[in-house]
């Protein structure tokens, strides 16, 4: 099968690309996010929604102006927002429910995407989570409320010199939260992690009629009470996830943490996995890496329902970095830690190794989260800066040794010029190659 390339007109001031089912037709649309400069004021935001045919051609597009309103927005079975008055539907403008939020006191602001919409009861209809007045409240798309539960926000005050005067900044941060099924009853619950504890408000007929307090296997917000001693090894949490990794319907915990000695040179990492029982956690499993795990991407690699981990591994020891300064390249091993009945595999499978140019790190872009060929296994989309985009087929536990598809295409500037997602509904992800300075992008379909 070859690539089929289709040009796609891009809006001005394009900042990022997203996708989601905005019109409830069962398939995702492209959502092109523009940040429109407003001089000395915060940027305005414009959303351009592109509807594509099964063949990958544009059928229609619509534009939604978010302007400079202080709001959080999300795509999940529609387009939703939280503003100063609560939740609202962006396309219709209908206000779903009233709960005053801290957003109401802000002036011109750049609207920000956030995970505020979800489908916790899995009925195919989105609900929107709002925080205000010290409480979380979950609103249905119909405007009805599932109920409200307490949550403790954190405030921030700062005074600084600004433009010849004094600028006072007043902020409020929502409590950390996750919507995930804790007890395996088929409904996602509201979890608020804090340190080594988590408060759970279960979703039954209402939200929070049943609650629980869980002990977490790790303190997710460690605060050292003393200075670190020379030679002491410290662990620093890079990221943590509360979600169902082992596909048993119950919330698990996964933590990616750095293991660092006196300096970052030679740092390694640990992947800590604790399976949930519905009322707590099983003993945690720790998988140690011999080199640095610079990133962790949770993804169902082989389509079996559980969540595996794709991890780029890099040796940041002094010796290896010294050699890299001479060669101007550093080796990156793209590794797969598979999830199985016993937890994470202790030994990863190296999917592919390649040399990353340290003088121009943006010359290599890799996307490894979507199935491009439609066989149920994630594929690797790779651009190594030599003018060709390559597709490597994912296979059980690995990647094809040579590319199955190559398309001549220069790599545009930008942090994420490759966007991979199924936006035609055929079960095969398309690849949008775009750049913030391009008037036309290229949509590649595997046909």
């Amino acid at each position: 099968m070859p690539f089929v390339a289709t040009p796609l007109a891009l809006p001005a001031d394009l900042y990022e690309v997203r996708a989601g089912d905005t019109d409830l037709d069962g398939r995702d649309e492209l959502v092109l996010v523009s940040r429109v400069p407003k001089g000395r004021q915060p940027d305005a935001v414009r959303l351009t929604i592109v509807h594509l045919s099964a063949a990958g051609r544009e059928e229609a597009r619509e534009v939604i102006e978010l302007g400079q309103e202080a709001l959080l927005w999300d795509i999940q079975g529609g387009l939703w927002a939280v503003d100063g008055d609560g939740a609202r539907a962006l396309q219709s403008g209908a206000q779903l429910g009233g709960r005053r939020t801290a957003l109401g006191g802000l002036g011109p602001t750049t609207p920000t995407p956030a995970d505020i919409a979800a489908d916790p009861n899995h009925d195919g209809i989105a609900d929107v989570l709002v925080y205000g007045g010290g409480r979380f409240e979950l609103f249905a798309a119909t405007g009805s409320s599932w109920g409200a539960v307490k949550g403790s926000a954190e405030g921030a005050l700062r005074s600084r010199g600004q433009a010849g005067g004094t600028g006072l900044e007043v902020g409020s941060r929502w409590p950390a939260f996750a919507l995930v099924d804790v007890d395996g009853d088929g409904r996602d619950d509201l979890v608020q992690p804090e340190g080594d504890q988590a408060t759970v408000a279960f979703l039954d007929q209402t939200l929070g009629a049943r609650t629980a307090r869980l002990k977490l296997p790790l303190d997710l917000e460690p605060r050292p009470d003393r200075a670190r001693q020379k030679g002491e090894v410290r662990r620093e949490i890079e990221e943590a996830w509360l979600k169902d990794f082992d596909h048993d319907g119950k919330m698990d915990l996964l933590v990616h943490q750095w293991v660092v000695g006196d300096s970052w040179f030679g740092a390694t990492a640990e992947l800590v996995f604790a399976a949930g029982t519905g009322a707590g956690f099983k003993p945690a499993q720790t998988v140690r890496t011999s080199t640095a795990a610079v990133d962790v991407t949770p993804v169902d690699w082989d389509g079996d329902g559980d969540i595996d981990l794709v991890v780029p591994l890099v040796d940041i020891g002094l010796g290896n970095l010294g050699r890299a300064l001479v060669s101007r390249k550093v080796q990156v091993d793209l590794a797969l830690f598979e999830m199985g009945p016993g937890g994470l595999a202790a030994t990863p499978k190296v999917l592919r190794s390649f040399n990353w140019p340290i003088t121009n790190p943006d010359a290599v872009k890799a996307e490894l989260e979507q199935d491009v060929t439609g066989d149920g296994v994630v594929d690797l989309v790779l651009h190594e800066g030599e003018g060709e985009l390559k597709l490597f087929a994912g296979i059980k536990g690995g990647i094809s040794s040579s590319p199955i598809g190559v398309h001549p295409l220069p790599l545009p500037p930008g942090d994420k010029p490759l966007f991979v997602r199924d936006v035609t509904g055929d079960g095969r992800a398309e690849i949008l190659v775009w750049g913030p300075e391009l008037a036309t992008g290229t949509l590649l379909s595997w046909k």
Side-chain angles (χ1 to χ4, degrees):
M1 285 186 174
F3 278 120
V4 175
T6 305
L8 182 72
L10 302 178
D13 304 309
L14 183 58
Y15 175 75
E16 68 174 326
V17 178
R18 292 176 173 255
D21 186 1
T22 63
D23 56 4
L24 302 180
D25 66 349
R27 69 184 188 188
D28 291 346
E29 286 77 47
L30 280 172
V31 180
L32 309 179
V33 185
S34 298
R35 290 185 60 160
V36 184
K38 292 295 181 181
R40 296 180 180 179
Q41 289 191 341
D43 294 343
V45 171
R46 175 186 301 124
L47 305 181
T48 302
I49 303 170
V50 181
H51 302 260
L52 298 171
S53 68
R57 298 191 177 279
E58 181 177 335
E59 291 183 323
R61 65 174 56 195
E62 57 184 303
V63 175
I64 298 177
E65 300 283 355
L66 302 186
Q68 296 169 288
E69 184 179 358
L71 56 79
L72 306 171
W73 62 273
D74 198 6
I75 315 168
Q76 171 82 20
L79 279 168
W80 312 98
V82 171
D83 57 22
D85 295 320
R88 81 171 192 247
L90 276 176
Q91 286 159 304
S92 68
Q95 202 75 28
L96 302 186
R99 174 163 289 276
R100 292 291 297 171
T101 76
L103 296 169
L106 301 182
T109 307
T110 299
T112 300
D115 293 330
I116 55 169
D119 183 13
N121 62 336
H122 303 285
D123 64 353
I125 303 174
D127 303 309
V128 183
L129 189 67
V130 178
Y131 180 81
R135 301 180 76 83
F136 279 107
E137 189 164 3
L138 187 64
F139 291 97
T142 58
S144 61
S145 171
W146 283 97
V149 297
K150 291 182 179 179
S152 298
E154 291 185 0
L157 299 174
R158 185 169 71 155
S159 175
R160 62 188 179 94
Q162 183 177 24
T166 298
L168 298 177
E169 297 182 9
V170 181
S172 176
R173 185 173 69 179
W174 286 26
F177 69 92
L179 283 166
V180 55
D181 190 350
V182 172
D183 55 0
D185 67 350
R187 294 189 177 199
D188 295 341
D189 311 299
L190 178 64
V191 182
Q192 298 182 61
E194 185 178 2
D196 62 353
Q197 304 281 328
T199 301
V200 182
F202 292 96
L203 181 63
D204 298 311
Q205 297 302 314
T206 59
L207 177 67
R210 183 167 56 102
T211 61
R213 186 83 169 165
L214 300 182
K215 174 75 173 175
L216 298 176
L218 270 79
D219 187 344
L220 302 184
E221 298 176 293
R223 298 181 180 180
D225 57 0
R226 60 175 176 79
R228 188 171 64 89
Q229 303 298 312
K230 183 175 177 59
E232 179 182 356
V233 175
R234 71 183 186 274
R235 286 165 170 79
E236 299 183 2
I237 293 179
E238 176 70 13
E239 195 165 2
W241 297 264
L242 288 167
K243 63 186 300 181
D244 180 15
F245 281 88
D246 57 10
H247 196 46
D248 67 349
K250 303 181 183 70
M251 177 185 72
D252 307 312
L253 172 67
L254 179 79
V255 176
H256 168 211
Q257 60 186 9
W258 288 88
V259 181
V260 186
D262 287 331
S263 76
W264 282 93
F265 292 114
T268 59
E270 291 178 345
L271 305 173
V272 182
F273 172 70
T277 65
F281 296 89
K282 297 178 183 178
Q285 170 200 10
T286 301
V287 175
R288 296 175 174 85
T289 65
S290 59
T291 54
V294 296
D295 191 20
V296 173
T297 300
V299 60
D300 183 2
W301 171 263
D302 48 12
D304 62 355
D306 60 26
I307 306 299
D308 311 297
L309 305 179
V310 175
V311 183
L313 297 175
V314 183
D315 182 355
I316 58 174
L318 281 172
N320 189 55
L321 291 181
R323 290 188 293 272
L325 288 175
V326 175
S327 66
R328 305 290 178 161
K329 295 180 180 180
V330 63
Q331 180 174 312
V332 177
D333 294 330
L334 205 57
L336 173 68
F337 290 84
E338 292 184 287
M339 181 67 69
L344 275 179
T347 303
K349 297 178 179 179
V350 176
L351 301 173
R352 181 175 174 81
S353 298
F354 48 88
N355 292 320
W356 205 288
I358 60 176
T359 55
N360 185 19
D362 288 338
V364 176
K365 297 295 181 183
E367 292 294 331
L368 194 64
E369 296 184 47
Q370 299 288 328
D371 175 14
V372 178
T373 61
D375 64 353
V377 182
V378 171
D379 304 304
L380 170 63
V381 179
L382 181 66
H383 202 299
E384 296 181 277
E386 71 282 347
E388 290 183 332
L389 183 142
K390 300 175 183 178
L391 176 66
F392 293 83
I395 55 180
K396 291 277 186 177
I399 286 179
S400 61
S401 57
S402 58
I404 62 170
V406 177
H407 189 80
L409 200 65
L411 189 68
D415 291 335
K416 295 185 177 181
L418 306 178
F419 181 80
V420 187
R421 189 77 168 263
D422 179 10
V423 287
T424 62
D426 65 353
R428 293 175 293 205
E430 285 71 42
I431 305 165
L432 177 63
V433 184
W434 69 282
E437 300 174 1
L438 297 183
T440 304
T442 301
L443 189 72
L444 297 175
S445 303
W446 188 250
K447 300 296 185 184

